Amino acid sequence: MKQLKFLMVAFTLLMGVSFTSCLNDDAGESMYDGIGYVRTVMGNYFVDLYGNTYHPTMASVTEMEAQGFKMSGTDLAQIAFKYVEDTPATKAEGGTFTPQDYRIKLVSAIAVDSYSTKHVSSVENMEMEAIPETAPIVTLEPTDNYGQTYKPWMYGAEMLVLPISWKMENKEEMLKQHTMELVYINDESNESSTELVFYLRHNKGTDTKTDVFAVRNKAYDVRQIMSDFKGKHGSYPTTIRIKAKTDMDGAKLPEKYTDYTTSNPQLSSSASFLRLNVLSSLN
C-alpha cells in the first residue's frame, strides 16, 4: 500500500468531511468556528451557498499558500476557520437568515480541482473525437482504506463533484496527463424530463501504464446548465445521471456505459453543513 501514498493522501483530504460539531484541542478550545465548502471570488475572499462572505486575513492566506493552497487559482475549496476578534456575532432572528460578512483566520484550506462543463450538440459529435476518450475510469464510487464509499454529489445548484478513480503509472508527474471532461449533450433533454444527463470522458494522454489507483475529487461548474434546465422545465432536475465507461483494470475501454446518479441536487447535505456550523457558533 505504500506505493499509493501520494495518491491517497490527496484523496482523503479532498473528500467531504461533514463535521457537525467543532473539534476541540487539549485545552478545550475549539480548533475552528466553521468548516465546509465555499467558492473563491476573484482570488480574494470566499462565498457560501447562502451568500455569506468570508474575508481571510492576509497572514492566514500566506500560511495556507506556504502549505500549497493557491487562493488565486481556486474555484471550489474546503476551508476551516476561526473568526477574528473584531467579527460581529450577528444572530439569525425570527427563523430568518440574512447573509453576513465575516473576517476569518484560515485554519486549513484545500482546493478542489475545478473545471467547466463541455457542451456538444449530439452524442455522435462527442464520439467523433471532438472530446477524446482513450481510457476508462475505475469507478465514481470509490471506497477508501477505512471502508467508506464516496459518491457523486452536488454543491447547491452550482457544482457537480465527482470522486473519480482511475489507474495510471506510479509517478506523481503523470497526474497531469489524465484529463476528465464532463460533457452535456444539448439535444438529449426533452420537455417532460426530470433528469439531467452528463457524460464523463477520460483521456490518459501519454500515460501507457496502469500500475496504481488514483483518486481525485473533481468539481464541474454546471450552474448555467441547471439554470437553463429550470427555465425549460420549471424546476431543477430530481436526478442527475453521470454516464461513464468503467473497467476495474483501468485498461480496456468498454462499449457500454455505467450509470451513476445523485438525487436532490439543489442542496446536498455535503454543502449545507457549513451554514449549520456558522449559525451554531453565533448563537
Side-chain angles (χ1 to χ4, degrees):
M1 297 303 294
K2 289 185 178 179
Q3 64 178 345
L4 297 181
K5 184 176 181 181
F6 79 87
L7 299 172
M8 294 303 296
V9 165
F11 171 52
T12 55
L13 288 176
L14 290 177
M15 285 297 148
V17 185
S18 301
F19 296 116
T20 56
S21 62
C22 294
L23 297 174
N24 295 321
D25 60 19
D26 294 338
E29 182 183 356
S30 171
M31 292 175 61
Y32 61 83
D33 295 322
I35 185 171
Y37 289 91
V38 289
R39 297 191 75 172
T40 304
V41 180
M42 296 184 294
N44 294 321
Y45 63 92
F46 305 103
V47 61
D48 68 18
L49 286 171
Y50 303 93
N52 297 305
T53 55
Y54 304 85
H55 299 270
T57 64
M58 184 59 66
S60 67
V61 171
T62 300
E63 182 179 353
M64 293 302 105
E65 291 193 339
Q67 299 174 23
F69 176 74
K70 302 300 182 185
M71 190 167 179
S72 61
T74 296
D75 185 349
L76 184 67
Q78 185 189 66
I79 65 170
F81 61 86
K82 295 277 291 183
Y83 295 108
V84 298
E85 291 182 0
D86 59 347
T87 298
T90 304
K91 298 181 181 180
E93 302 290 346
T96 61
F97 182 80
T98 302
Q100 303 291 327
D101 290 326
Y102 302 107
R103 292 190 66 241
I104 62 171
K105 175 184 177 182
L106 292 170
V107 176
S108 68
I110 303 166
V112 181
D113 296 342
S114 301
Y115 309 91
S116 60
T117 303
K118 303 294 184 181
H119 294 243
V120 297
S121 59
S122 66
V123 173
E124 290 74 19
N125 181 264
M126 178 182 69
E127 295 288 356
M128 291 173 61
E129 297 190 3
I131 302 173
E133 183 174 37
T134 60
I137 65 167
V138 173
T139 183
L140 291 181
E141 296 182 352
T143 300
D144 65 19
N145 294 336
Y146 301 98
Q148 181 173 354
T149 297
Y150 302 90
K151 297 184 178 183
W153 57 276
M154 285 292 298
Y155 176 78
E158 299 181 5
M159 305 286 282
L160 174 59
V161 186
L162 304 179
I164 306 174
S165 173
W166 71 95
K167 297 196 75 174
M168 57 173 284
E169 185 176 359
N170 189 24
K171 292 183 179 179
E172 188 169 3
E173 59 267 26
M174 294 305 292
L175 283 169
K176 64 181 65 176
Q177 290 296 321
H178 293 260
T179 58
M180 310 287 172
E181 299 281 9
L182 189 70
V183 184
Y184 174 66
I185 309 296
N186 296 327
D187 295 344
E188 284 203 335
S189 177
N190 57 55
E191 293 295 336
S192 61
S193 178
T194 60
E195 182 177 84
L196 190 58
V197 179
F198 294 98
Y199 293 81
L200 182 69
R201 295 176 71 82
H202 174 201
N203 184 358
K204 64 181 180 180
T206 63
D207 192 356
T208 60
K209 298 183 179 180
T210 55
D211 299 335
V212 296
F213 290 94
V215 188
R216 281 290 192 279
N217 253 347
K218 293 183 181 289
Y220 297 87
D221 192 328
V222 296
R223 179 164 36 186
Q224 188 59 54
I225 296 171
M226 293 287 285
S227 178
D228 291 346
F229 189 100
K230 185 177 182 181
K232 182 177 181 179
H233 302 285
S235 63
Y236 288 118
T238 58
T239 303
I240 289 182
R241 185 177 303 275
I242 305 99
K243 304 175 76 69
K245 293 183 177 180
T246 65
D247 178 62
M248 286 301 298
D249 295 326
K252 182 179 179 181
L253 188 63
E255 293 184 6
K256 294 184 178 181
Y257 289 97
T258 300
D259 288 4
Y260 299 87
T261 61
T262 180
S263 302
N264 301 320
Q266 186 173 1
L267 183 63
S268 71
S269 59
S270 296
S272 63
F273 66 86
L274 175 60
R275 181 192 178 194
L276 297 178
N277 277 342
V278 169
L279 290 179
S280 65
S281 68
L282 296 179
N283 292 326

